[in-house]
Amino acid sequence: MTVCPTGASYKRTEDGIVLVNEDRCIGCGLCAWACPYGARELDQAAGVMKKCTLCVDRIYNENLEEVDRVPACVRTCPAGARHFGDFADPDSNVSRLVAERGGMDLMPEQGTKPVNKYLPPRPKDTMEAANIPDLKPVTTEASGFLGWLDKALEKL
């Protein structure tokens, strides 16, 4: 963030979320070059840098029910692979998950102190206990155009 010549990229002190002030951004791309996570992209149409905001407008919106005050990616993940909460609260769901499963920072050697943690994959023997259904293919043979194309390519 210190590479931004206009100070458009900043880290909120109250929650650690990194945001981009699009009114100040000149789209030079220095933040994308310096970001070790590859989290920034240039919006060609707007001429500014963009990144995930953790849906900051949702998580603090008191007009939403508590269950909806999470980032959209967490709310809509069909596999339940994303979690959101307060690490400052040791009794929160995310704090317990990190403690139980050994959550870790991504690239800790960078010294960026990210506000998110990554959980290692669950062992396969605990997958059944979590009631995760096995995904079975709907069909094993392609039909229609793709079936025709598959058969044509087999002849080559």
Side-chain angles (χ1 to χ4, degrees):
M1 294 178 306
T2 57
V3 300
C4 181
T6 65
S9 182
Y10 64 98
K11 188 172 193 174
R12 292 166 41 126
T13 55
E14 63 271 20
D15 54 22
I17 298 174
V18 177
L19 297 172
V20 176
N21 180 341
E22 294 181 18
D23 293 333
R24 295 180 76 180
C25 180
I26 59 174
C28 67
L30 288 174
C31 59
W33 178 80
C35 179
Y37 306 111
R40 296 163 184 251
E41 296 180 6
L42 177 65
D43 180 338
Q44 295 285 347
V48 296
M49 300 306 291
K50 301 254 178 155
K51 65 170 292 300
C52 173
T53 64
L54 284 178
C55 295
V56 73
D57 56 327
R58 291 178 57 91
I59 63 177
Y60 292 114
N61 187 341
E62 294 181 4
N63 294 321
L64 293 175
E65 291 183 34
E66 190 70 33
V67 70
D68 290 325
R69 289 187 209 165
V70 296
C73 62
V74 173
R75 185 81 170 106
T76 61
C77 179
R82 294 175 178 259
H83 306 276
F84 182 79
D86 185 3
F87 284 124
D89 176 5
D91 294 325
S92 71
N93 182 43
V94 291
S95 293
R96 286 194 312 272
L97 277 171
V98 167
E100 291 168 7
R101 294 191 32 210
M104 60 198 122
D105 291 340
L106 181 63
M107 298 190 287
E109 67 278 4
Q110 296 291 326
T112 57
K113 298 180 183 150
V115 296
N116 55 350
K117 303 280 184 200
Y118 290 84
L119 298 174
R122 287 183 296 256
K124 291 188 184 222
D125 60 344
T126 62
M127 300 275 269
E128 290 177 12
N131 293 327
I132 299 171
D134 288 332
L135 298 178
K136 307 233 185 298
V138 177
T139 181
T140 57
E141 192 166 316
S143 60
F145 174 73
L146 293 178
W148 172 84
L149 182 62
D150 194 33
K151 289 177 185 170
L153 291 174
E154 282 178 357
K155 295 178 183 177
L156 295 176

